[in-house]
Amino acid sequence: MIKRYRYGQPISTDTIVKSIPICDENIAFFQLENKEKMTFTYTMDDNDIIYGLGENMRGINKRGFTYISRCMDGAKHTEDRNSLYAAHNFFIIDGKKQLGVFFDAAGIVSYDIGETEIDQLIITCDDNDFDIYLIEGDNLKDIAKQFRQLIGQSYIPPKWALGYHQSRWMYKTEDDFRNIVKQYQENQIPLDAIYLDIDYMEDYESFTINRENLPHFEELVQEFKEQGVHMVPIIDAGIKVKEGYHVYDEGVKQNRFCKDKDGKNFKCGVWPGYCHFVDVLNEDNRHWFGDQYQFLLDKGIDGIWNDMNEPSIFYTDERLNEAYSLVDELRDSELNLFTYFKMRGQFSKLSSNPKDYQLFYHDINGQKVRHDKVHNLYGYNLTRAAGEAFERFSPEKRILLFSRGSMIGMHRYSGIWTGDNLAWWSHLKLCIQQMPNINLCGFLYSGGDLGGFGSDTNEELLMRWVQFGIFTPLMRNHSQSQRAQELYAFKHTEIFKNMIEIRYAFIPYLYSELVKAALSDESYFRPLAFDYEDDKQARLIEDQLMVGEAIMIAPIYEQNGRGRFVYLPENMKLIRMRSLSDYDEIELEKGNHYIHVGFNEMIFFIKPNHIVPFAKPALTTRDMNFDELYVLGYVQDEIEYTLYDDDGYTRDINQPEHFHKIYASKEYCDCKTKKVQYR
Ligand code: GLC
């Protein structure tokens, strides 16, 4: 049951797809206080758990900290960060009462979940215009599903998007790209995509190609495509201010950019220097921006990542002038404790400064709206522009799309990656904990940069990240570190190869579970509590996840870890894999276990009366045979598993012939439409 409460006159966010009547009662369960800002409070029971809020810092249970929905670029994801790149305003209270809560707001919302007062959940909205949805249901899964039905079906990527992807902010020339792909092929490590970061552009101008480094770009795309490898270019939000640059010229001429208070095109600094932002909150401009992607699709591109669309601002003249004045003032003085830190602070406040988001305006259906009031809609609509354009330009084939900035609603057009993490063990753990909450907010196709984006990784950290990444729909190794992070750049290339082969082998299961989750508005990654609600211990587990209907994972995320405690909420079968031909199957009883996991091993658990179908890996998903499947199972009774499979790119997804029933008992397994056999 969903109830909708309205406050003020909210701007339409396009987050929901179902119309729910507005309820004229006072809001239930929460206390509303009309302070300077509207504040809603809820008293939490000691055992209450709060799931959700999507991409954020800290644990699966969000209690104990304040999270602010303000899409924001920031290189260091430290524990004290209140905001990352997303505005995911949905959470579920699980405890004395089970309740789903969605703040449908375009502006900034903060959630103090027991930080100020341990039992108080305090939600504050910067503006007074928003809708709140309260969802009651039979259980956690039911509440989560009702919410997903409200916001519409999640984006489904093409099948090749589940392959292994290699990226790095450094590849520049055609030889660089050829060399990387060749090394993967020579080492026989599967690879489906290689990424183009900002250096492929001319002067960091979106929708251009640097012809000096990539004179035969179109041929290169084709050459890789023939090998089954996709090139995936980045697109940045900021449009360089430069006469002669076609996007700039046309944008100015057609009046596509956000305006400052005087009605001039708003200007700020990002990678290329001064930039304008396209006013994508206006439908016509969104369409125009989407049209720009045709430039890349025409060159054979079928995957894009959208970046810097929070939107990220490095500086504005206003902020620079403040900093320069301070420098002038202090130039000839001896810096002391106060002046030294003041100067440092002034420069660190240059980027992502909230004041800069008050300097520009959107035209929403003729209404002039200051950006900070609708800040969180920006990244969503920039990526939506691409998603809508792909439907126009590629009506049959799905295009890979994921974005850094995001808000609920965007999940219908795109996936997300978790941005600039670091090669820290704590960030591997964070990535594990982010996944189920990101799923709850509708983003199923997601993952973090394997090995860490910033600072140097090491072989063990990357290995453990890859072993977890086997299960994340987006499995991309991306970095800007000094140290090479490609899998062949380490001593145990063979072990990495085994792990990537395991990933590829599982694609039938992973793809099936991902698509089914999207079609049925369910989560692909879930906290244990969603499957074992009455199990007190399962509710407290922060480092194990359910993946699809059959698997539970318990990743290793600690330095020098060669094992870990695992809680089994019921009897399960442990699979400990070194390679596809070398693994153990061990039946374990419900309860606590210590499981040894060597550096060269990945583990997972199969639930009773479940199976995991897999295929023979190949060097690309294109070269795999998805009609000949093997099965790992933990089956006592006769069971039936519904495998989803299609050609991997059709947009016409929900067809009866895409669903294949696999029947399994302890001794045999069978399927009418595919060849299946037990391993
Ligand atoms: C941002 C992105 C990162 C990318 C870099 C350069 O920091 O998050 O992934 O490599 O910009 O484009």
Side-chain angles (χ1 to χ4, degrees):
M1 197 199 36
I2 307 186
K3 278 200 170 172
R4 175 188 197 177
Y5 303 88
R6 167 150 292 187
Y7 300 89
Q9 290 179 314
I11 280 172
S12 163
T13 55
D14 284 349
T15 43
I16 61 151
V17 296
K18 232 176 158 179
S19 106
I20 307 278
I22 294 167
C23 164
D24 52 16
E25 299 156 17
N26 286 337
I27 188 164
F29 313 117
F30 282 88
Q31 296 294 325
L32 165 62
E33 289 173 59
N34 269 311
K35 298 186 184 161
E36 191 191 333
K37 294 180 180 176
M38 277 175 109
T39 303
F40 296 84
T41 53
Y42 178 91
T43 302
M44 296 179 288
D45 209 47
D46 193 38
N47 293 320
D48 282 2
I49 292 179
I50 310 289
Y51 298 104
L53 296 182
E55 182 189 86
N56 254 307
M57 292 305 300
R58 306 209 177 202
I60 295 178
N61 179 356
K62 303 317 284 183
R63 281 186 77 155
F65 193 56
T66 300
Y67 310 88
I68 304 179
S69 284
R70 177 198 286 131
C71 300
M72 191 177 152
D73 183 10
K76 280 217 160 137
H77 304 177
T78 45
E79 242 183 77
D80 55 357
R81 282 282 299 273
N82 306 102
S83 316
L84 294 174
Y85 312 89
H88 296 165
N89 289 310
F90 173 66
F91 62 91
I92 301 182
I93 303 169
D94 175 32
K96 68 174 192 285
K97 163 120 209 96
Q98 277 188 336
L99 186 68
V101 183
F102 175 45
F103 271 71
D104 189 9
I108 286 131
V109 186
S110 77
Y111 303 87
D112 175 346
I113 311 185
E115 185 181 43
T116 306
E117 264 187 78
I118 198 158
D119 63 348
Q120 292 302 303
L121 165 57
I122 307 164
I123 304 166
T124 315
C125 299
D126 271 21
D127 304 300
N128 294 343
D129 305 296
F130 49 85
D131 282 350
I132 301 177
Y133 295 83
L134 295 186
I135 309 176
E136 290 180 90
D138 298 339
N139 50 44
L140 291 169
K141 279 187 173 173
D142 179 42
I143 291 172
K145 190 174 178 131
Q146 288 187 57
F147 174 62
R148 294 276 299 286
Q149 286 167 341
L150 180 68
I151 59 170
Q153 190 187 299
S154 298
Y155 164 78
I156 299 176
K159 198 192 266 182
W160 65 264
L162 275 80
Y164 173 76
H165 299 184
Q166 182 61 52
S167 183
R168 179 172 180 69
W169 181 12
M170 188 92 87
Y171 306 153
K172 286 198 169 90
T173 65
E174 296 182 1
D175 282 348
D176 288 344
F177 290 102
R178 277 204 189 90
N179 180 34
I180 311 291
V181 172
K182 194 166 128 235
Q183 300 241 38
Y184 271 91
Q185 289 166 344
E186 279 176 6
N187 285 288
Q188 299 277 295
I189 306 174
L191 175 75
D192 263 73
I194 182 147
Y195 281 64
L196 296 136
D197 207 319
I198 48 175
D199 295 308
Y200 84 91
M201 302 175 193
E202 201 181 315
D203 285 341
Y204 310 119
E205 295 161 15
S206 286
F207 313 108
T208 64
I209 308 286
N210 179 329
R211 289 291 174 183
E212 208 174 299
N213 290 333
L214 300 160
H216 314 102
F217 180 79
E218 294 78 357
E219 289 82 356
L220 193 67
V221 173
Q222 202 47 41
E223 178 185 319
F224 285 146
K225 200 163 258 183
E226 276 156 26
Q227 299 167 33
V229 177
H230 302 254
M231 288 192 99
V232 183
I234 193 169
I235 284 297
D236 275 14
I239 299 299
K240 185 174 169 68
V241 174
K242 187 175 105 181
E243 275 179 32
Y245 163 37
H246 67 284
V247 186
Y248 169 78
D249 287 343
E250 207 177 298
V252 170
K253 210 163 134 209
Q254 299 181 7
N255 200 23
R256 303 291 183 189
F257 298 119
C258 295
K259 300 285 183 266
D260 65 16
K261 64 177 187 338
D262 303 320
K264 293 208 221 72
N265 291 328
F266 169 73
K267 202 174 75 176
C268 64
V270 204
W271 299 124
Y274 282 133
C275 286
H276 292 327
F277 291 135
V278 177
D279 185 358
V280 286
L281 301 197
N282 173 295
E283 196 181 333
D284 200 40
N285 294 338
R286 198 162 62 233
H287 197 279
W288 174 79
F289 189 75
D291 282 347
Q292 308 304 318
Y293 286 86
Q294 193 165 16
F295 169 82
L296 290 164
L297 300 200
D298 282 350
K299 298 187 177 341
I301 293 299
D302 51 9
I304 298 278
W305 48 310
N306 273 349
D307 192 21
M308 309 295 277
N309 54 340
E310 296 75 27
S312 176
I313 296 180
F314 289 173
Y315 60 84
T316 55
D317 283 348
E318 283 79 351
R319 238 43 68 204
L320 277 180
N321 289 336
E322 282 171 11
Y324 293 150
S325 317
L326 187 67
V327 171
D328 288 342
E329 188 189 313
L330 299 175
R331 188 182 298 279
D332 295 320
S333 63
E334 180 184 345
L335 295 187
N336 61 24
L337 170 65
F338 303 103
T339 49
Y340 167 70
F341 282 106
K342 189 170 175 193
M343 183 142 94
R344 268 181 54 160
Q346 191 72 43
F347 280 89
S348 67
K349 278 190 296 196
L350 277 184
S351 304
S352 303
N353 192 314
K355 281 200 228 155
D356 286 333
Y357 295 98
Q358 300 173 2
L359 297 178
F360 59 107
Y361 296 82
H362 297 272
D363 174 346
I364 306 178
N365 303 321
Q367 197 190 339
K368 185 173 165 188
V369 183
R370 202 172 76 187
H371 174 83
D372 60 320
K373 308 280 174 204
V374 287
H375 173 69
N376 292 330
L377 294 180
Y378 192 83
Y380 162 17
N381 280 283
L382 191 112
T383 291
R384 176 183 180 186
E388 287 172 342
F390 295 162
E391 280 167 34
R392 294 197 296 277
F393 302 141
S394 177
E396 267 121 48
K397 281 195 179 186
R398 279 171 259 160
I399 305 273
L400 168 62
L401 178 61
F402 59 95
S403 168
R404 196 178 67 180
S406 72
M407 167 154 162
I408 290 172
M410 197 192 86
H411 70 287
R412 299 193 294 271
Y413 304 93
S414 162
I416 55 172
W417 93 101
T418 56
D420 297 347
N421 58 11
L422 290 164
W424 291 352
W425 287 95
S426 60
H427 279 186
L428 167 54
K429 183 174 184 196
L430 174 65
C431 190
I432 297 165
Q433 295 177 318
Q434 282 174 327
M435 287 303 133
N437 285 331
I438 285 176
N439 269 229
L440 272 180
C441 294
F443 293 93
L444 300 185
Y445 186 74
S446 58
D449 290 346
L450 301 184
F453 169 74
S455 63
D456 282 347
T457 199
N458 61 65
E459 185 163 13
E460 189 194 358
L461 175 58
L462 180 60
M463 185 66 75
R464 293 310 193 189
W465 217 314
V466 163
Q467 288 164 354
F468 165 61
I470 286 174
F471 298 98
T472 59
L474 167 62
M475 188 191 198
R476 181 178 76 147
N477 175 345
H478 176 51
S479 76
Q480 59 145 195
S481 51
Q482 293 297 313
R483 185 172 186 175
Q485 204 164 294
E486 293 77 22
L487 299 181
Y488 52 74
F490 297 87
K491 191 164 186 181
H492 298 91
T493 306
E494 194 61 27
I495 304 178
F496 281 117
K497 170 176 146 56
N498 291 340
M499 293 302 140
I500 303 299
E501 282 179 352
I502 292 171
R503 159 65 172 220
Y504 273 65
F506 288 165
I507 287 177
Y509 175 76
L510 304 179
Y511 185 66
S512 169
E513 291 304 310
L514 181 73
V515 177
K516 284 192 301 181
L519 293 178
S520 56
D521 298 308
E522 282 164 8
S523 281
Y524 165 94
F525 279 122
R526 296 177 305 282
L528 266 51
F530 280 62
D531 290 42
Y532 304 97
E533 271 195 28
D534 300 327
D535 184 323
K536 283 204 183 96
Q537 193 175 341
R539 285 183 79 237
L540 298 176
I541 302 282
E542 283 275 334
D543 59 357
Q544 301 174 207
L545 300 175
M546 309 309 299
V547 184
E549 64 171 66
I551 288 181
M552 181 184 82
I553 58 170
I556 301 283
Y557 55 86
E558 277 177 352
Q559 181 170 318
N560 299 317
R562 293 294 181 270
R564 56 164 287 170
F565 285 99
V566 179
Y567 174 65
L568 303 189
E570 59 183 323
N571 297 349
M572 287 189 182
K573 184 188 264 187
L574 161 68
I575 309 285
R576 186 194 280 120
M577 274 195 167
R578 290 161 289 277
S579 74
L580 285 165
S581 52
D582 179 15
Y583 58 89
D584 317 312
E585 292 181 67
I586 303 162
E587 289 180 22
L588 293 174
E589 285 187 359
K590 172 181 159 81
N592 294 298
H593 298 265
Y594 188 85
I595 312 282
H596 290 274
V597 190
F599 171 71
N600 60 340
E601 293 176 323
M602 58 82 74
I603 56 164
F604 64 97
F605 301 83
I606 306 180
K607 287 170 71 165
N609 282 325
H610 280 85
I611 59 165
V612 179
F614 63 101
K616 222 169 133 209
L619 286 186
T620 65
T621 49
R622 184 197 65 180
D623 296 330
M624 285 174 68
N625 179 357
F626 290 99
D627 290 325
E628 229 173 81
L629 300 176
Y630 304 88
V631 169
L632 276 172
Y634 182 31
V635 180
Q636 286 101 25
D637 309 321
E638 287 207 339
I639 59 126
E640 166 184 308
Y641 172 76
T642 305
L643 178 85
Y644 177 90
D645 193 26
D646 59 19
D647 57 16
Y649 55 79
T650 182
R651 281 191 189 266
D652 202 2
I653 284 179
N654 209 349
Q655 294 303 320
E657 66 270 22
H658 297 157
F659 296 86
H660 307 266
K661 292 255 181 259
I662 300 180
Y663 303 94
S665 71
K666 205 169 180 167
E667 287 80 31
Y668 81 97
C669 60
D670 191 21
C671 176
K672 288 198 177 63
T673 44
K674 293 194 183 268
K675 204 174 146 212
V676 294
Q677 68 187 77
Y678 265 129
R679 263 301 279 261

